[in-house]
Amino acid sequence: MMNNAVIGLFAGLLLAIAATTGGFWGLVVAIVLGGIGVIVGLHRDGVIDLGAIVRSRGRG
């Protein structure tokens, strides 16, 4: 069974393939979207807390 990080990675990569036509910039976009997918998946799995990052801004 796949966890949310793997599903997020595949979703980001598939969106990148659909959004680009290839070449170097297509590769860059695929890596960026794949990374975003992994981060969102890890957040959903509870491995990282993106809310703590957002809450820490503006205080200080």
Side-chain angles (χ1 to χ4, degrees), residues 34-58:
I36 292 170
V38 167
I39 291 170
V40 170
L42 289 172
H43 175 71
R44 290 189 43 90
D45 283 340
V47 176
I48 59 174
D49 185 15
L50 295 177
I53 296 170
V54 174
R55 283 190 301 266
S56 67
R57 295 182 188 203

Side-chain angles (χ1 to χ4, degrees), residues 5-56:
V6 174
I7 293 170
L9 172 64
F10 284 132
L13 290 174
L14 288 174
L15 286 173
I17 291 170
T20 63
T21 59
F24 174 74
W25 290 111
L27 175 65
V28 171
V29 170
I31 291 170
V32 168
L33 290 177
I36 292 170
V38 167
I39 291 170
V40 170
L42 289 172
H43 175 71
R44 290 189 43 90
D45 283 340
V47 176
I48 59 174
D49 185 15
L50 295 177
I53 296 170
V54 174
R55 283 190 301 266
S56 67

